[in-house]
């Protein structure tokens, strides 16, 4: 049929309805619902958002510089990073910067051209949720979360790397 309704898949493997509204272009910004704005829209509307009571988030493209919002992170409940193609990994770097360098505590979401094989990488970079097509095999996505248990790279997700585990386990005796 070609059309599908996106679903929100959380890090723990549950599927939820997405309550966020993406505001495109110059469309009016609803006052009483959670909204996602582009970086450009945020930069022009930032001052007017101070009295907002509903949650606010940004929908960032791969070429958006996350340093531009480093001072605004306390105002944002969600940052959604768009993957236009599964071969474009720039948003992995943005996610790690947001989590590890800038300390973003809110929800970090991935959306776009996402493959099941990438799910664990999303989790390692600090993503909390993904937007997937409703015909995506959710059980396969959930299984992917448990396929790997050892990590070679250190990231901000708190899991210890193989080297850290090995060092802790094998101590030289003198």
């Amino acid at each position: 049929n070609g059309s599908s309704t996106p679903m929100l898949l959380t890090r723990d493997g549950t599927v939820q309805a997405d309550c966020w509204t993406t505001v495109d272009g110059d469309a009016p910004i609803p006052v009483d619902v959670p909204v996602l704005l582009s970086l450009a829209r945020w930069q022009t509307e930032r001052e007017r958002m101070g009295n907002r009571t509903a949650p606010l988030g940004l929908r960032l493209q791969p070429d958006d510089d996350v340093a531009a919002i480093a001072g605004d992170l306390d105002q944002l409940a969600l940052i959604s990073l768009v993957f236009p193609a599964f071969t474009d990994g720039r948003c992995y770097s943005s996610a790690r910067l947001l989590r590890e360098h800038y300390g973003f505590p809110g929800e970090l979401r991935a959306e776009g051209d996402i493959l099941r094989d990438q799910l664990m990488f999303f989790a390692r970079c600090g993503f909390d949720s993904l937007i997937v097509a409703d015909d995506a095999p959710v059980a396969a996505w959930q299984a992917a979360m448990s396929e790997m248990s050892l990590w070679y790279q250190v990231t901000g997700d708190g899991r210890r790397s193989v080297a850290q585990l090995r060092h802790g386990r094998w101590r030289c005796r003198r």
Side-chain angles (χ1 to χ4, degrees), residues 97-172:
L97 284 170
L98 286 165
R99 286 289 191 224
E100 297 171 28
H101 185 69
Y102 298 116
F104 177 61
E107 180 181 347
L108 198 56
R109 176 183 293 180
E111 64 174 285
D113 191 13
I114 298 169
L115 300 179
R116 176 195 180 276
D117 294 348
Q118 297 170 303
L119 181 61
M120 192 51 65
F121 298 117
F122 287 116
R124 294 286 292 158
C125 289
F127 285 96
D128 300 299
S129 61
L130 307 166
I131 295 290
V132 296
D134 67 356
D135 56 356
V138 173
W141 286 91
Q142 293 168 341
M145 288 300 288
S146 63
E147 287 179 346
M148 294 183 216
S149 60
L150 297 174
W151 315 100
Y152 288 101
Q153 294 84 14
V154 175
T155 67
D157 72 354
R159 298 181 201 187
R160 292 174 34 168
S161 70
V162 169
Q164 290 169 324
L165 292 170
R166 190 175 296 142
H167 179 70
R169 193 175 294 151
W170 301 99
R171 298 192 189 273
C172 295

